[in-house]
């Protein structure tokens, strides 16, 4: 399983690059793609900012889902 979180305003890893990677990974299994339209690159460097909070919640939910018994 893959969790991808991308900033919609990321000028380092552009939207098309992230979407192309998501498409290529889709063949290997589950891919969850979350795009934060207002966020740039490294938006999570401010852990208590809005991007950091969204990312932390997404990662916690992803890990909980992937580690919970079926």
């Amino acid at each position: 399983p893959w969790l991808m979180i991308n900033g919609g305003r990321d000028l380092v890893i552009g939207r098309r690059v992230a979407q192309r990677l998501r498409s290529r990974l889709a063949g290997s299994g589950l891919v969850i793609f979350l795009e934060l339209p207002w966020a740039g690159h490294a938006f999570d460097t401010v852990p208590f900012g809005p991007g950091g909070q969204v990312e932390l919640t997404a990662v916690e939910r992803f890990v909980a889902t992937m580690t919970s018994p079926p």
Side-chain angles (χ1 to χ4, degrees):
W2 294 87
L3 171 63
M4 296 179 63
I5 304 175
N6 190 63
R9 294 185 178 188
D10 189 336
L11 300 177
V12 177
I13 307 296
R15 183 181 217 175
R16 281 194 267 171
V17 172
Q19 290 174 344
R20 196 167 64 225
L21 176 60
R22 176 181 64 176
S23 295
R24 290 185 180 194
L25 290 173
S28 67
L30 174 66
V31 178
I32 297 172
F33 184 82
L34 174 61
E35 183 177 80
L36 305 178
W38 44 266
H41 191 74
F43 63 87
D44 57 343
T45 57
V46 181
F48 299 107
Q53 292 177 22
V54 170
E55 180 188 37
L56 178 61
T57 301
V59 169
E60 287 176 338
R61 289 181 180 178
F62 179 76
V63 170
T65 301
M66 295 300 120
T67 59
S68 64

